[in-house]
Amino acid sequence: MSWTRGLCAALAVCVLLLAGSAGCGSGAAHGGTAGESASPVGKVLDDTDEEGRHYREVQKKGAPEVGVEVQPDAGDTWDVRLTVRNFRFSPGNAKPRAVAGRGVAYVFVDDRLVSRLRGLDCRLPARLVPRGTHHVTARLYADDGTVWAVRGRPIESTADITASQAAGGPGGRADTTAPSATDSEARGGGRGSPERAGKAS
C-alpha cells in the first residue's frame, strides 16, 4: 500500500515539475517582450524641413506648442522671446533620441536658420533683419533632429516684422509695423503658438 502511495506521489511531483517548467518557458517569453525598449515616440514621416530633417508626427492632444514674439531693441537688434506649452528644453548633453515633449527650438528668418535655442530667448543682429518685412519662425525639434509635427505639419509659430531702416541708417533703430504676425497654420506652415498666433510688438 505504501509503495502505491509513493508511486502516486512521485507521479504527482513529475506532473508539477513539467507544468512548472512549461510555465517558466512561457514567463520567460513574456519577460523578453516586457524587457524590450519602449516604442519610439510618434511616427517619422517622409516629409522634411528645408534642411532635410524628417517630421515626427504626434497626436494633437498633449502635443508641444510654441509661440514667438519679436521686439526691436537698441542698436538695430531684435529680441526674440518664445512661449512653450507641453515642451521642455533639453540640456546640451542630451542623448540624440526623441523623448516626448522635449528638444530644442530652431529660429529662422525668412526660412534661413539663424539660431538653435535651448531656452526661451535670443537676440537677432541687425544684419539678419535688413530693411523690409521678414518672417521670424520658431520651430520645435526632438533631440534626434526630427521635427515635432501634428497632422503632417511642423510645430512652429511665425511673426512678421518690418524693419523701417537699414542697419546703421539714420536713427539707427528698426521699428515694427502694427502687429501683423500670422499664425503659421494660416500661412501654410505648422501649428501655432499657445496663443494661436505669433506676435510682433
Side-chain angles (χ1 to χ4, degrees), residues 33-44 56-58 97-100 148:
T33 303
E36 290 175 6
S37 60
S39 60
V41 178
K43 177 185 177 184
V44 178
R56 182 177 292 277
E57 175 106 341
V58 293
R97 61 189 175 98
V99 176
W148 290 116

Side-chain angles (χ1 to χ4, degrees), residues 38 53 67 70 72 74 135 141 162 167 177 194 198:
R53 297 175 185 270
V70 186
H135 309 298
Y141 288 74
T162 299
T177 59

Side-chain angles (χ1 to χ4, degrees), residues 78-186:
W78 295 80
D79 285 333
V80 178
R81 179 164 291 277
L82 308 184
T83 54
V84 295
R85 191 176 292 164
N86 302 325
F87 186 79
R88 289 179 302 136
F89 288 96
S90 298
N93 61 353
K95 292 182 180 179
R97 61 189 175 98
V99 176
R102 204 172 81 180
V104 298
Y106 286 13
V107 176
F108 299 84
V109 175
D110 298 329
D111 297 324
R112 188 175 122 212
L113 177 62
V114 296
S115 184
R116 292 178 177 88
L117 299 183
R118 294 189 182 275
L120 293 173
D121 51 31
C122 71
R123 181 166 289 168
L124 300 177
R127 64 184 168 75
L128 296 177
V129 189
R131 183 173 184 160
T133 298
H134 305 277
H135 309 298
V136 179
T137 300
R139 183 180 300 151
L140 300 182
Y141 288 74
D143 291 317
D144 66 350
T146 54
V147 185
W148 290 116
V150 169
R151 295 179 179 168
R153 301 170 83 177
I155 296 174
E156 64 182 26
S157 186
T158 297
D160 293 344
I161 60 173
T162 299
S164 61
Q165 298 177 3
R173 184 175 175 91
D175 298 314
T176 58
T177 59
S180 60
T182 56
D183 182 279
S184 56
E185 216 164 10

Side-chain angles (χ1 to χ4, degrees), residues 12-101:
V13 169
C14 287
V15 169
L16 287 173
L17 285 174
L18 289 173
S21 65
C24 287
S26 164
H30 286 297
T33 303
E36 290 175 6
S37 60
S39 60
V41 178
K43 177 185 177 184
V44 178
L45 306 179
D46 290 333
D47 296 331
T48 64
D49 69 358
E50 301 86 352
E51 296 185 326
R53 297 175 185 270
H54 287 273
Y55 292 177
R56 182 177 292 277
E57 175 106 341
V58 293
Q59 294 294 319
K60 181 176 181 180
K61 183 177 181 180
E65 296 180 42
V66 63
V68 61
E69 183 177 353
V70 186
Q71 295 182 340
D73 196 9
D76 295 327
T77 62
W78 295 80
D79 285 333
V80 178
R81 179 164 291 277
L82 308 184
T83 54
V84 295
R85 191 176 292 164
N86 302 325
F87 186 79
R88 289 179 302 136
F89 288 96
S90 298
N93 61 353
K95 292 182 180 179
R97 61 189 175 98
V99 176

